Amino acid sequence: MKNDKFDIKSARIKAGFTQQEISRKLGMSRQTYQKYESGNMSFRVDTAWKFAAICKISFDSIIFLKVSTLQV
């Protein structure tokens, strides 16, 4: 079983949406969505679930944090 992981941008592109389209579906401006995609803001959990559902990608398959912000 393949275990693909996607960042927010990759998930959006895989689903075939532009930033404008996904931001409308999430009920936010494109500028606000860009902040999430660039890692300057983090989705609330409910918005992250909605994003995953819109993209039709498992919530567990999407990395919602900027990798450089993760500390082990």
Side-chain angles (χ1 to χ4, degrees):
M1 180 179 191
K2 196 171 184 183
N3 189 12
D4 290 330
K5 293 287 185 182
F6 303 92
D7 62 14
I8 297 169
K9 181 178 181 179
S10 298
R12 172 183 59 79
I13 291 169
K14 180 176 178 14
F17 294 112
T18 65
Q19 286 184 340
Q20 186 66 43
E21 291 168 330
I22 200 79
S23 64
R24 278 192 200 127
K25 290 179 179 291
L26 291 170
M28 63 182 66
S29 71
R30 184 179 54 81
Q31 291 80 7
T32 298
Y33 175 78
Q34 285 176 321
K35 291 177 185 176
Y36 292 115
E37 198 169 278
S38 67
N40 293 324
M41 288 176 58
S42 296
F43 279 129
R44 289 175 28 146
V45 173
D46 59 333
T47 306
W49 277 103
K50 185 175 180 181
F51 176 84
I54 291 167
C55 291
K56 296 182 176 148
I57 296 174
S58 163
F59 182 83
D60 294 337
S61 295
I62 302 173
I63 301 168
F64 288 98
L65 300 172
K66 192 174 184 178
V67 176
S68 64
T69 61
L70 299 176
Q71 294 183 12
V72 180

